[in-house]
Amino acid sequence: TWDPNQLTGDIAMALLDRAPSGVAPKPWNTASLNGLGGAPLRAIGYGTTGNNAGSGIKRTVDLTIRQLTNTKILLGDQVSRGVCHGDSGGPSFHTFGDGIERIIGVHSYTTDEMCLDGADSRVDAFQSFIQQWLTEKEAPTCSRDGRCVAGCTPVDLDCVCKVDGQCTAACPDLSLDPDCPADCAAN
C-alpha cells in the first residue's frame, strides 16, 4: 500500500487487453537482492532530464545499486545521473550470473530537482503481491511464471526446478533449483 509520507509501497500492476506485438517480456527477479549493493543496473524511463525538460523520450542510464533497504533500491550517482520526473513506474534491470537480465526495481521517486538521487521499489520485496496478482489475472504458461504446466516442450522449468526437497538432474539448470546447493553446478 502506497504511503506518500514514508514513500513506501509504491508498486502496482496493470492488465492489458492484449500483449503488445513484437515485444518479448523481460523476466522479473524473485531472488533476494541482499548482498548486491554496488552491483550495476540499467534504468529505463520517459521522464525529464532535470528541471522538467525533455520528457517523452525513452532513455536508458547505467547506474549502480547504491544501497538497499528492505523494500527500496537507492540509485542515482548523486553527481550526474539518475531517474527523473516522469520515469516513475519504469523498470530497472540487473544481469545476473546466469546471463539473464531481469527486472529488479520499479522507479518510485527522485529526491532532488536535478534527479541525481532517487529510489526504486524492489520487486523481490513485493514478490507475494506480484505473484498473487499474476495468478489471479493470467493463465499459467510454459515459461518461468511460478506455475507448472504439464506437456510443455521443452519441459516447463516451474515443474522441475521447484521447492520439492530434491536436487535432481530433471532441472536442466541446477542454479534454478532452490533445493540445490549454490555450488552444485560447479561441483
Side-chain angles (χ1 to χ4, degrees), residues 1-128:
T1 304
W2 167 242
D3 180 343
N5 297 317
Q6 300 294 317
L7 299 176
T8 59
D10 190 12
I11 195 160
M13 302 288 287
L15 181 62
L16 303 176
D17 287 338
R18 63 190 176 294
S21 61
V23 176
K26 289 278 193 177
W28 60 283
N29 176 55
T30 58
S32 172
L33 295 179
N34 294 341
L36 283 182
L41 68 79
R42 182 172 71 101
I44 297 177
Y46 288 85
T48 66
T49 57
N51 296 323
N52 294 319
S55 66
I57 298 168
K58 180 181 176 183
R59 294 182 181 84
T60 300
V61 62
D62 293 324
L63 299 168
T64 60
I65 298 171
R66 197 174 70 242
Q67 183 181 348
L68 294 166
T69 72
N70 289 338
T71 60
K72 297 176 188 170
I73 301 168
L74 302 183
L75 47 82
D77 67 6
Q78 300 179 314
V79 176
S80 64
R81 299 178 296 161
V83 294
C84 209
H85 309 287
D87 287 332
S88 294
S92 284
F93 299 95
H94 173 72
T95 301
F96 288 82
D98 59 5
I100 297 174
E101 185 180 60
R102 292 182 181 87
I103 299 169
I104 60 169
V106 177
H107 308 326
S108 180
Y109 62 86
T110 185
T111 61
D112 61 73
E113 287 304 311
M114 294 308 298
C115 305
L116 308 175
D117 184 18
D120 279 7
S121 292
R122 290 172 58 167
V123 296
D124 64 312
F126 295 94
Q127 185 175 170
S128 62

Side-chain angles (χ1 to χ4, degrees), residues 132-151:
Q132 178 183 345
W133 191 92
L134 290 172
T135 300
E136 291 173 3
K137 307 290 185 207
E138 293 185 342
T141 66
C142 292
S143 64
R144 292 292 308 249
D145 61 7
R147 297 173 286 168
C148 174
V149 176

